[in-house]
Amino acid sequence: MKTSVAIIGGGPAGLLLSEMLHRQGVDSVVLEARSRDYVLARIRAGVLEQTTVDVLRENGLGERMDAQGHPHDGMRIVWAGRSSYFINCYEHLGKRFMAYGQTQIQEDLFAAADRRQARVLTEATDVRPMDVASDKPYVLFRHNGVDERLDCDYIAGCDGFHGVSRKTIPPTHLQEFEKAYPFGWLGILSRTAPLPDVTYANHPRGFALASMRSSNLSRYYVQVPLDDKIEDWSDDRFWSELTARFPPKMAARIQTGPSIEKSIAPLRSFVAEPMRHGRLFLCGDAAHIVPPTGAKGLNLAVSDVFYLSRALAAVYRDGSERLIDSYSAMALRRVWSSVRTSWYLTNLLHRFPTATEFDQRAQEAELDYLNGSAHAQASLAEQYAGMPFEPA
Ligand code: RFL
Ligand code: PHB
């Protein structure tokens, strides 16, 4: 088999890259390890930045998002015993957000790929990027019981944190930065009407978050110890813990119901630099992970894809390698900005098991400062909304 760009991973980064390349006349093949049903069953991110919404719309992926998603202007912060406040990104920056599930984006991407009869090979196993530092890279894999070889000009590693792409880069060429947090998030999805705002709660019992997918689909999270097991969390226990972490008036407005999904995810920050080795480029979770507190993970995957598709299109359009040569540095500037914001919000909103009285008072002072200062709110609004893309 032969193509211009071999894309490893059919998550949001891989399928979106394939779509954006196609729209700029560049051929690709996507190799996804899992089945389509498995990929579509994953419940993950839900809050899209304006830049992400714009990219999806510009690439013909906006119709269902605009019909079913929930546009909103910012985030609400509440903490025990104090009044809540709203960080209004629209007022400060003219930027909005869209609550629309990653699961739905994934469906929209598969539908778009089907319409153009894209080559998306699911259940492709033993995927191995080869000779990536040469001019003739290729990918070996197994599909339908047959060993295959895909020759290509470039390889895009869009295979998530546990994928194979990053691991093929020699350790001497890669620097990794990591921070693990001493807790996880237990998340549930329920067919109930959500609270009006995406609301982050800091409470002595731990962090909680109220979010949404649509007018009748809610997503909630509570901070849990890392060793908690999903079996320990009945729906009743979840709802009583969640509502205990919100102020009584807000808690009274939370509609409870059976969970339709429930999972625990650990929190970590991770960045691998550079995001390129020879003809292999990393995109999305393959290169970086953020704790979900800033809702940045999926948005970063989309910004990487935006930069990489623009850079590869320039190569095929006019032979210019300028943008592929600056891809890693450009993508990493936006990555580190979001890594910092996610780390800041994680520290601001969670109860750390190791926190001293001093740490606690400093956290409360920061929350008070944000509550009282329009400048502080404008700064957080700018970071939460996400930085604009850099020009080519
Ligand atoms: P993905 O979505 O992990 O997709 C990678 C794809 O690559 C496939 N793959 C391989 N394919 C071929 N060969 C191999 N060797 C392969 N190894 C892996 C995988 O099957 C998969 O289909 O990465 P991508 O595309 O970069 O997208 C990134 C986003 O998925 C991610 O940033 C967010 O979902 C992160 N994230 C969240 N972000 C938020 O903003 N808000 C959230 O609430 C939120 N919740 C989450 C999350 C990530 C989670 N994971 C990864 C543990 C909850 C979870 C559970
Ligand atoms: C979500 O809706 O899943 C969500 C919202 C905000 C976050 C993280 C996740 O910070």
Side-chain angles (χ1 to χ4, degrees):
M1 291 170 73
K2 214 172 158 20
T3 188
S4 302
V5 183
I7 299 176
I8 305 181
L15 286 186
L16 180 63
L17 179 63
S18 168
E19 190 65 30
M20 291 179 74
L21 287 175
H22 170 75
R23 286 176 164 255
Q24 297 175 88
V26 181
D27 182 60
S28 68
V29 172
V30 178
L31 304 174
E32 163 58 48
R34 305 290 194 157
S35 68
R36 187 185 283 222
D37 286 349
Y38 182 95
V39 171
L40 287 173
R42 292 191 295 225
I43 307 287
R44 290 182 177 173
V47 173
L48 310 180
E49 295 170 0
Q50 181 81 60
T51 43
T52 300
V53 169
D54 292 344
V55 166
L56 294 175
R57 283 188 188 138
E58 282 158 17
N59 287 281
L61 296 157
E63 199 177 320
R64 192 161 70 124
M65 171 182 73
D66 285 321
Q68 296 179 8
H70 174 82
H72 58 280
D73 293 349
M75 69 191 298
R76 184 169 291 283
I77 295 181
V78 298
W79 81 105
R82 313 286 232 284
S83 55
S84 78
Y85 50 91
F86 189 71
I87 306 288
N88 194 324
C89 299
Y90 186 67
E91 197 177 281
H92 288 293
L93 300 141
K95 289 182 179 174
R96 289 210 150 94
F97 299 87
M98 184 73 86
Y100 185 62
Q102 181 169 329
T103 318
Q104 281 65 44
I105 295 176
Q106 192 85 55
E107 283 171 2
D108 298 343
L109 283 164
F110 271 120
D114 289 346
R115 278 196 296 274
R116 65 181 163 88
Q117 298 181 319
R119 286 187 287 173
V120 177
L121 307 185
T122 51
E123 299 179 72
T125 56
D126 292 330
V127 177
R128 275 165 295 156
M130 306 297 290
D131 287 357
V132 300
S134 80
D135 286 349
K136 292 195 169 27
Y138 59 98
V139 184
L140 297 177
F141 62 100
R142 232 180 131 66
H143 192 237
N144 292 335
V146 181
D147 288 325
E148 303 274 9
R149 171 182 167 133
L150 173 62
D151 288 299
C152 56
D153 302 326
Y154 298 98
I155 300 176
C158 302
D159 48 354
F161 182 68
H162 299 287
V164 66
S165 299
R166 190 182 66 253
K167 291 174 194 144
T168 62
I169 301 178
T172 46
H173 287 69
L174 203 67
Q175 194 174 3
E176 297 185 345
F177 304 83
E178 185 155 23
K179 188 166 189 66
Y181 301 91
F183 38 74
W185 279 17
L186 165 64
I188 75 156
L189 195 64
S190 69
R191 275 195 214 293
T192 50
L195 289 182
D197 300 320
V198 174
T199 305
Y200 295 78
N202 179 325
H203 190 274
R205 298 179 71 93
F207 167 82
L209 169 60
S211 183
M212 73 272 289
R213 291 292 176 271
S214 65
S215 56
N216 193 37
L217 200 54
S218 302
R219 180 81 165 148
Y220 295 102
Y221 300 92
V222 292
Q223 171 188 347
V224 294
L226 274 177
D227 48 9
D228 266 24
K229 301 273 171 292
I230 204 77
E231 310 79 74
D232 303 332
W233 283 90
S234 64
D235 286 1
D236 284 349
R237 182 176 173 207
F238 180 87
W239 291 118
S240 74
E241 190 58 46
L242 179 81
T243 48
R245 295 181 187 192
F246 281 92
K249 266 194 183 153
M250 217 175 252
R253 285 161 59 197
I254 293 178
Q255 286 185 16
T256 63
S259 67
I260 47 179
E261 197 264 354
K262 200 189 281 166
S263 55
I264 295 181
L267 268 65
R268 70 154 77 83
S269 303
F270 172 87
V271 183
E273 293 185 1
M275 289 168 60
R276 172 190 188 175
H277 180 63
R279 287 181 170 243
L280 169 67
F281 295 85
L282 302 179
C283 275
D285 279 17
H288 41 74
I289 295 281
V290 286
T293 325
K296 295 289 179 198
L298 175 61
N299 292 294
L300 278 183
V302 171
S303 67
D304 291 351
V305 165
F306 172 83
Y307 286 137
L308 185 59
S309 63
R310 185 172 72 179
L312 289 170
V315 172
Y316 288 96
R317 197 178 50 240
D318 43 48
S320 167
E321 297 195 346
R322 185 177 61 85
L323 287 176
I324 56 169
D325 287 344
S326 59
Y327 166 71
S328 174
M330 204 182 267
L332 281 166
R333 279 193 284 278
R334 204 165 189 282
V335 166
W336 274 109
S337 159
S338 293
V339 166
R340 199 202 76 81
T341 303
S342 309
W343 160 82
Y344 167 78
L345 283 171
T346 302
N347 284 306
L348 180 74
L349 295 169
H350 291 77
R351 296 292 169 133
F352 284 68
T354 51
T356 62
E357 278 297 309
F358 177 93
D359 297 332
Q360 183 55 38
R361 287 286 193 279
Q363 196 189 55
E364 287 170 12
E366 177 84 26
L367 285 159
D368 271 334
Y369 169 58
L370 266 173
N371 192 1
S373 163
H375 295 294
Q377 291 193 8
S379 167
L380 179 57
E382 182 174 44
Q383 297 169 67
Y384 187 65
M387 291 300 161
F389 293 144
E390 292 180 34

